[in-house]
Amino acid sequence: MGVVNVTPDSFSDGGRWFEPDAAVAHGLRLLAEGADVLDVGGESTRPGSQRVAVDEERRRVLPVVRELVAAGAVVSVDTTRAAVARDAVAAGAHLVNDVSGGLADPAMADVVAQTGVAYVAMHWRGHADVMDSLTHYDDVVADVRDELAGRLAALEAAGIRREQVVLDPGLGFAKAGRDNWPLLAHLDALQELGRPVLVGSSRKRFLGHLLAGPDGEPAAPTARDRATAAISALSALGGAWCVRVHDVAGSADAVRVAAAWSAARGDRTDAGRSATQDGEHRA
Ligand code: PMM
């Protein structure tokens, strides 16, 4: 899944693809580099960021969704708002990627149930302005799994079919840096919930700290792409269904390596299988 942020302020690429034409051209480049899905978002979730108005979010994402769909892409809309999700699906989006897992907007579940699209439910505890104060866990892997299990049950109770849902541990969202590694190392715990798992580690703060120089200064966001690709390979081997990344070329190679590796080991795995081949995105 390649990231197309139509925002002036996302933490790693804010402003670069803010004009619709630039965003579409970027999306097409990511497709050529091997993306199976393009994730179009109009609201930054960087720590501390403020919300954008719903009309502005619509104005940013809808033309880009429309054009990328017309170009034949499988498109996901990255939004926590039911109204934006509904309009994006009407514009042709195939997936709704909701970093709040339905918690930010009580109307989201209805839109997903009614449209029948695939739905990424990410682990979330609060908006970007407060999430860094919501990082207490007794056991981060068990707590995130249990909170996602609760979400899955609530989404089903709201009329969404289980088969529509993809789960995501929400790396960097209400997580201290150290919390992200056990979640990655124990993707199997999330898979116990019986749904495909999406991993979004790309360029995140915890990688900046991992790759800090001798002066302790975190590596810059674009200097985190090789580490992101390493996580893509390991996530694919760990059974992830999808990795959401800014630099598609590196992760597409990494996922191919993982697929060849597990094939040689004789695993039955989904690593390297295209999301567009199996129709899972249409659930
Ligand atoms: N991370 C970001 C945005 N959307 N969606 C999902 N499903 N999972 C993530 O981890 C995730 C996401 C933040 O990254 P960005 O600002 O670079 O888009």
Side-chain angles (χ1 to χ4, degrees):
M1 174 183 278
V3 178
V4 182
N5 280 328
V6 196
T7 55
D9 57 345
S10 283
F11 75 97
S12 78
D13 56 357
R16 291 194 66 191
W17 332 113
F18 191 44
E19 294 305 321
D21 288 353
V24 170
H26 181 57
L28 296 177
R29 194 157 50 237
L30 297 183
L31 278 186
E33 289 174 2
D36 292 317
V37 183
L38 298 176
D39 190 37
V40 179
E43 180 172 43
S44 170
T45 50
R46 71 187 292 165
S49 64
Q50 300 295 313
R51 309 271 344 246
V52 301
V54 61
D55 284 343
E56 172 63 10
E57 191 183 346
R58 268 202 194 92
R59 195 193 64 75
R60 292 179 186 180
V61 298
L62 294 180
V64 178
V65 167
R66 215 171 276 121
E67 280 213 42
L68 290 173
V69 168
V74 174
V75 173
S76 151
V77 61
D78 186 346
T79 186
T80 60
R81 286 184 166 123
V84 176
R86 190 193 314 107
D87 292 351
V89 172
H94 307 85
L95 286 87
V96 173
N97 173 25
D98 179 357
V99 299
S100 82
L103 287 170
D105 186 340
M108 180 64 96
D110 255 5
V111 169
V112 176
Q114 282 164 18
T115 56
V117 290
Y119 180 63
V120 180
M122 199 193 80
H123 177 260
W124 186 87
R125 285 180 163 184
H127 284 289
D129 56 341
V130 294
M131 68 182 178
D132 281 351
S133 64
L134 302 171
T135 58
H136 175 77
Y137 297 92
D138 292 325
D139 171 338
V140 68
V141 174
D143 292 355
V144 167
R145 181 199 56 211
D146 293 350
E147 288 173 35
L148 279 176
R151 278 285 78 216
L152 190 54
L155 293 167
E156 280 191 273
I160 294 175
R161 284 174 298 114
R162 221 180 151 75
E163 297 72 46
Q164 283 174 261
V165 181
V166 172
L167 298 173
D168 180 335
L171 303 176
F173 287 80
K175 312 287 180 314
R178 65 176 176 279
D179 293 329
N180 297 292
W181 295 109
L183 289 166
L184 282 166
H186 295 285
L187 289 179
D188 52 326
L190 287 196
Q191 289 163 45
E192 281 169 15
L193 301 177
R195 299 307 310 141
V197 170
L198 185 149
V199 170
S201 72
S202 188
R203 297 183 179 173
K204 286 190 174 164
R205 274 179 300 178
F206 72 106
L207 297 180
H209 291 296
L210 178 77
L211 304 174
D215 56 358
E217 196 54 36
T222 49
R224 304 171 192 169
D225 283 336
R226 289 176 300 245
T228 300
I231 290 181
S232 293
L234 292 166
S235 298
L237 279 180
W241 170 73
C242 183
V243 288
R244 177 186 181 278
V245 298
H246 301 85
D247 172 44
V248 164
S251 280
D253 284 357
V255 168
R256 281 194 192 147
V257 168
W261 187 291
S262 59
R265 207 165 55 179
D267 294 348
R268 224 190 75 66
T269 169
D270 292 343
R273 186 185 65 180
S274 163
T276 55
Q277 278 164 9
D278 65 4
E280 177 86 63
H281 62 279
R282 293 183 196 283

